């Protein structure tokens, strides 16, 4: 199946070249992109998807019970929660979850874990609370592809870095249901390839809390700076056609 990548505009509806039946597609093609969610599998969840689904359900329950989204999310990801227990305890519900997740992937550097936490926080905030603002805050390459919108798939796929990797896994059922095998191996080799110092990547905000510097945020939101190790070719032999593989020092 080939799905066009030009179906939606970011904040307004896109004209259609022919009439389509939304009931068959399961997606409202007249809706703006920020309002179009991915289509997830709901039955027989794998272990990794359960981690995401349980959080989404609980976060939406809290909002429906009256908790303000701003209280649930905070203003920005609290990256200090990755390394400081006091910071973790004071951080938002979403920052606590993304910190635990980023620390679980086995990535070798703290800066890379901070960068992954930052991106996960942006995407999960929109999934829970879809608005034009939360959608546009996500890097364009990290927003759902048409395959994600139309084809039911495990939720964890949406958080993979590379859009073509997400589309590939959606089309390969053998990969979808063994994430602890292929993705757990690949995740340990993910690198954002920051060439500056650790000190240049972070700063303190007005409340004296550790956060990411503007140059580092600009760096991590450029997909061209992200690589994964060659181990991914064990599971996806043609991976070099869908993402950037790092064979040695950059």
């Amino acid at each position: 199946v080939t799905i066009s990548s030009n179906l939606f505009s970011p904040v307004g509806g896109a004209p259609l070249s022919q009439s389509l039946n939304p009931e068959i597609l399961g997606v409202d093609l007249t809706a703006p992109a920020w309002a179009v969610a991915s289509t997830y599998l709901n039955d027989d969840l794998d272990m990794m998807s359960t981690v995401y689904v349980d959080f989404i359900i609980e976060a939406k329950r809290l909002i429906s019970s009256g908790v303000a989204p701003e209280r649930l999310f905070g203003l920005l990801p609290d990256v200090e929660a990755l390394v400081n227990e006091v910071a973790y305890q004071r951080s938002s519900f979403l920052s606590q979850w993304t910190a635990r997740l980023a620390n679980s992937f086995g990535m070798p550097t703290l800066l890379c874990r901070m960068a992954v936490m930052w991106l996960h926080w942006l995407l999960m905030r929109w999934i829970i609370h879809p608005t034009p603002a939360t959608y546009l805050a996500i890097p364009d390459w990290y927003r759902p592809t048409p395959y994600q919108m139309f084809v039911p798939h495990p939720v964890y796929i949406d958080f993979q870095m590379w859009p073509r990797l997400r589309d590939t896994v959606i089309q390969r059922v053998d990969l979808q249901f063994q994430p602890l095998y292929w993705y757990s191996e690949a995740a340990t080799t993910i690198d954002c390839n920051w060439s500056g110092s650790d000190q240049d990547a972070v700063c303190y905000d007005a409340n004296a809390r550790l956060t990411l510097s503007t140059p580092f945020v600009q760096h991590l939101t450029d997909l061209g700076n992200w690589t994964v190790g060659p181990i991914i070719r064990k599971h996806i032999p043609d991976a070099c056609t869908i993402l950037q593989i790092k064979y040695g020092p950059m």
Side-chain angles (χ1 to χ4, degrees):
V1 177
T2 300
I3 298 176
S4 170
S5 61
N6 299 308
L7 289 172
F8 300 94
S9 64
V11 294
L16 302 177
S17 59
Q18 58 183 359
S19 61
L20 296 173
N21 187 340
E23 294 182 358
I24 294 176
L25 294 171
V27 175
D28 182 1
L29 293 176
T30 65
W34 67 264
V36 181
S38 289
T39 303
Y40 298 132
L41 293 172
N42 296 315
D43 299 324
D44 298 322
L45 295 178
D46 58 86
M47 186 181 300
M48 186 173 289
S49 291
T50 299
V51 172
Y52 292 84
V53 170
D54 287 351
F55 180 80
I56 292 169
I57 291 172
E58 178 61 11
K60 289 187 174 184
R61 184 195 69 78
L62 289 170
I63 290 176
S64 65
S65 71
V67 177
E70 296 77 13
R71 181 182 173 190
L72 200 66
F73 308 140
L75 296 178
L76 288 172
D78 191 348
V79 295
E80 194 173 1
L82 286 163
V83 294
N84 185 306
E85 179 63 24
V86 174
Y88 176 86
Q89 293 299 332
R90 77 183 179 209
S91 65
S92 69
F93 186 51
L94 180 54
S95 281
Q96 290 181 350
W97 181 80
T98 49
R100 292 196 304 271
L101 195 66
N103 272 334
S104 73
F105 288 143
M107 288 173 285
T109 70
L110 175 59
L111 287 185
C112 194
R113 296 199 300 275
M114 286 180 169
V116 167
M117 176 184 172
W118 193 277
L119 291 170
H120 273 52
W121 186 95
L122 291 174
L123 181 57
M124 183 58 85
R125 181 179 62 163
W126 169 73
I127 290 173
I128 296 167
H129 186 56
T131 68
T134 58
Y135 179 82
L136 292 174
I138 304 168
D140 56 358
W141 48 265
Y142 205 42
R143 298 168 190 164
T145 68
Y147 271 103
Q148 292 169 250
M149 297 174 189
F150 286 95
V151 182
H153 59 277
V155 61
Y156 80 86
I157 294 174
D158 281 14
F159 291 81
Q160 308 308 301
M161 200 72 63
W162 295 269
R164 293 186 65 188
L165 174 62
R166 300 194 296 269
D167 288 351
T168 295
V169 178
I170 286 172
Q171 295 172 81
R172 283 191 52 183
V173 176
D174 61 313
L175 290 177
Q176 288 183 28
F177 296 102
Q178 52 173 341
L180 296 180
Y181 176 49
W182 73 270
Y183 182 65
S184 295
E185 283 193 329
T188 62
T189 68
I190 290 176
D191 196 346
C192 64
N193 297 288
W194 172 249
S195 60
S197 68
D198 290 358
Q199 291 77 14
D200 290 338
V202 296
C203 60
Y204 288 92
D205 63 18
N207 296 314
R209 293 188 179 185
L210 190 72
T211 188
L212 301 187
S213 68
T214 298
F216 187 54
V217 172
Q218 292 171 343
H219 180 87
L220 71 88
T221 52
D222 181 348
L223 183 59
N225 292 322
W226 289 89
T227 61
V228 67
I231 194 170
I232 196 170
R233 296 188 65 185
K234 183 171 76 173
H235 310 284
I236 306 175
D238 61 346
C240 59
T241 66
I242 61 175
L243 46 72
Q244 187 174 357
I245 295 178
K246 181 178 179 179
Y247 290 95
M250 290 187 68

